[in-house]
Amino acid sequence: MLVKSGSGVLTMGASSSAGVTPGAVADTLVAPYNDLEAVAAAFRRHGKSIAAVIVEPVAGNMGLVPPARGFLKGLRALTARHGALLICDEVINGFRFGFSSYSALYGGVTPDLITLGKVIGGGLPLAAIGGKAKWMRQLAPDGPVYQAGTLSGNPLAVAAGLATLDVLEREQPYARMADLGSALAVGVSTIAAEHGLPITCQSFNGVFTPFCTDRPVTNLADAKSCDTALYAKVFHGLLDRGIYIAPSQFECNFVSAAHAERDVDAFLSAFEAVCRTLPA
Ligand SMILES: Cc1ncc(COP(=O)(O)O)c(C=O)c1O
């Protein structure tokens, strides 16, 4: 929604991109991730006018930040109590950690609506929304909400997506990707500590972000407190050694089904070589 929180969730935010109108900003409240009390406060203040809460179950858009215990269940309880929808944005999460959505596999919550993209397209431009029949029936042609586009249901993208999901279902690479991801994350954090560098690699089932801080990152404020100049040095050091991680501290990296143990070893050797060039 490209709206950033102002000084707090209860104040009106500002747009974080040109082209987002004040009207759109005024319709959006932003609460910090993993902060159930901030969401509860928004409901106390704005009560019935909140239509829905949208959350990435495992946050990927500030680097990889897993949900705190009880956070998603708490959002489910709050939205249910106030008659608002819970929308899980699983554009990154869906089919990434296992052959389903994060909310179904690990979150222990049933959202009203879910958004999917990326993996389900197998590299082609495909996205989807789904959810409870009551809400899906609101969409045209059954309901009054018009939804259509040039590429809606595009046969090429759908064929690619189905083929990808077939392979994932058959080969189930998830446990292997998770093992490689956690070996990589533990390796990065350990090597950084040995070199006295404040780098903590957070990971969840094969998705990871090396955060340039020695504290856990639980929300955007924590992510923003990271040493981005150090991240840039790590990024360029790895790039010089043939490894291209995300070019921003606020993105995540993905172990893929094509990766193997030797790739993790190569990553960690390159990372260690980079650490040797950095002052502690
Ligand atoms: C979590 C998340 N939601 C939504 C989007 C946007 O999805 P789309 O590109 O299908 O509009 C992105 C980015 O690509 C994303 O990372």
Side-chain angles (χ1 to χ4, degrees):
M1 277 155 279
L2 299 175
V3 171
K4 51 186 173 191
S5 56
S7 51
V9 64
L10 301 180
T11 56
M12 190 184 287
S15 111
S16 64
S17 163
V20 177
T21 65
V25 172
D27 282 342
T28 309
L29 299 165
V30 181
Y33 185 70
N34 275 333
D35 188 344
L36 208 49
E37 178 44 38
V39 183
F43 272 110
R44 278 198 297 276
R45 168 115 179 212
H46 298 278
K48 286 193 162 49
S49 67
I50 296 179
V53 171
I54 303 181
V55 66
E56 257 196 294
V58 175
N61 276 298
M62 51 183 154
L64 194 275
V65 183
R69 183 181 288 270
F71 177 58
L72 298 170
K73 284 188 180 158
L75 290 181
R76 178 67 285 184
L78 271 174
T79 46
R81 193 177 322 138
H82 291 272
L85 301 192
L86 178 64
I87 304 176
C88 283
D89 177 345
E90 299 223 21
V91 167
I92 292 179
N93 290 188
F95 294 95
R96 174 81 58 187
F97 308 124
F99 194 70
S100 188
S101 62
Y102 175 88
S103 37
L105 287 169
Y106 301 98
V109 301
T110 305
D112 297 289
L113 293 173
I114 185 171
T115 62
L116 294 163
K118 305 205 198 294
V119 175
I120 64 156
L124 267 79
L126 184 67
I129 59 171
K132 296 181 178 170
K134 178 179 175 189
W135 307 116
M136 296 307 287
R137 274 199 295 267
Q138 297 297 310
L139 292 178
D142 290 347
V145 180
Y146 184 72
Q147 197 283 321
T150 309
L151 296 177
S152 292
N154 175 255
L156 177 64
V158 171
L162 288 174
T164 302
L165 294 181
D166 271 349
V167 172
L168 289 174
E169 189 172 26
R170 203 169 53 242
E171 299 193 359
Q172 295 285 343
Y174 296 107
R176 197 167 52 82
M177 294 195 300
D179 286 348
L180 292 176
S182 81
L184 190 145
V186 169
V188 165
S189 297
T190 307
I191 292 166
E194 284 165 4
H195 288 79
L197 292 165
I199 300 175
T200 311
C201 195
Q202 293 193 178
S203 80
F204 184 83
N205 284 22
V207 185
F208 65 95
T209 298
F211 282 109
C212 291
T213 173
D214 46 19
R215 291 189 300 271
V217 173
T218 63
N219 58 30
L220 185 61
D222 292 344
K224 281 188 165 166
S225 76
C226 289
D227 182 347
T228 51
L230 176 58
Y231 186 87
K233 286 181 191 150
V234 171
F235 169 83
H236 284 290
L238 286 172
L239 193 60
D240 289 344
R241 290 163 180 80
I243 292 178
Y244 183 23
I245 60 168
S248 156
Q249 176 67 98
F250 311 109
E251 299 274 352
C252 34
N253 302 276
F254 305 93
V255 171
S256 84
H259 286 126
E261 228 166 275
R262 65 179 174 281
D263 300 307
V264 173
D265 293 345
F267 187 104
L268 294 177
S269 305
F271 181 70
E272 173 133 50
V274 174
C275 288
R276 269 189 249 116
T277 69
L278 298 171

